[in-house]
Amino acid sequence: MRKLLLLALVGLGAQLVDGSLGMAYGVTSTTLLLAIGTSPAAASATVHLAEIGTTLVSGVSHWKFGNVDWKVVLKIGVPGAIGAFAGATFLSNLSTETAAPLMSIILLALGLYVFIRFTTQGLPKDRLGKPLRKRFLAPLGLVAGFVDSTGGGGWGPVGTPAILASGRLEPRKTIGSIDTSEFLVAVAASLGFIVGIGNENINYTWVLALLIGGVIAAPIAAWLVRHIPPRVLGSLVGGLIILTNTRTLLRSDWIDAPDGVRYTFYAVIYAVWAAAIAYSVAQYRKHRTEDEAIIAEAEAIVATDDRPDEKAPAPAA
C-alpha cells in the first residue's frame, strides 16, 4: 500500500512539473520504477499506459486555458506516434543505455541555448507568430517519439526545447501543444510494448496509481503555465533541461564522475539557475507591458492565418 501511495505522489508531482514545464513526467516516473527493480521495457510500458490518461486530461486542460496550437499538435504528434511505436518494439528486444549520453549532449546544447536566450533576451521577438513548418516538426516528432519510448521519457525534453529554440511559438503554447500531442505518442508506445512484451509483464495496479496522481495534477499545471510569464518559463525550462542532462552525463559510463564532482556541478547549476530565474522575474516586471503586447500581436497573427477569408486590420496611421 505504501508503494502504491508513493507511486501516486510521484505521478502527481511528475505531472505537475510536466504540465507546467513541458517535460519530466516520463523521466521522473521511469526513474522510480527502475529504482525498485522494474525492467526498462516494463517500466517504460507502465509509464506510457499511465500517460494515456494523464496526457488526455492534460491536453483538455491546456485546450481550455488556450495553451494549444492544434496545427502543431497534428504535425508533430502523428510522426511522434510512429516513432514511439517503433521505439517501443525496439526496446522490447534491446536496451538503449549506450545512446543516452549522446542524446544528453544534444539536449544539453538545446537547453543551454533556451536558458541563455530567454534569461538574457527574454521572449524571442523576431519570429514569434510565424508558422512552424511540417518539414521541421515531422522529423522532430519522429525522433522525439522514438527517444520517448526507448528511454521511458523524452517527448518533452526533445520537443519542448527544439520548438522554444525556434522562437516561433510562445512558451505556454509550446508546452500545451507538446503535452497534448503526447497523448498520441503514449497510445502508440503502449501498443508497441503490449506487442513486444505482452500484458503479463505490466503491473496495472502501478499504472492506476501513477494515473490517479497525474490526473489530479494535470488541470493545476495547465492553469499554472497560463499565468507564468514567458521569460520566466523559458528560464525554468532551460534550467531543468541543463540539470537533467548534466546528471545523465556525469552518471554515464562515458564520465562516471565521483560523488564529490557530481554534487559540485549540481550546486553550481542550482545557484546559476536560481540567479537566472530571479533576473528573469526582474526583467519581466521591467518590460511587462512590451512583452504582453508582443504576445497579443502574435496571437492576432495566428488568428488571422486561421481565417483566410479575413484580412488583418490595417495599422493605424
Side-chain angles (χ1 to χ4, degrees), residues 138-228:
L140 176 63
L142 196 66
V143 172
F146 187 87
V147 171
D148 187 78
S149 55
T150 55
W155 180 251
V158 174
T160 299
I163 295 178
L164 283 175
S166 75
R168 292 172 180 257
L169 195 65
E170 60 176 297
R172 69 177 180 88
K173 286 199 173 182
T174 297
I175 291 167
S177 300
I178 285 291
D179 269 15
T180 303
S181 59
E182 193 171 9
F183 172 75
L184 300 174
V185 174
V187 171
S190 298
L191 290 173
F193 282 119
I194 290 173
V195 169
I197 64 176
N199 289 314
E200 64 274 7
N201 293 306
I202 301 172
N203 189 323
Y204 285 93
T205 306
W206 292 3
V207 172
L208 182 61
L210 286 171
L211 175 61
I212 291 172
V215 166
I216 292 171
I220 302 171
W223 176 87
L224 249 160
V225 74
R226 176 76 181 182
H227 292 82
I228 299 177

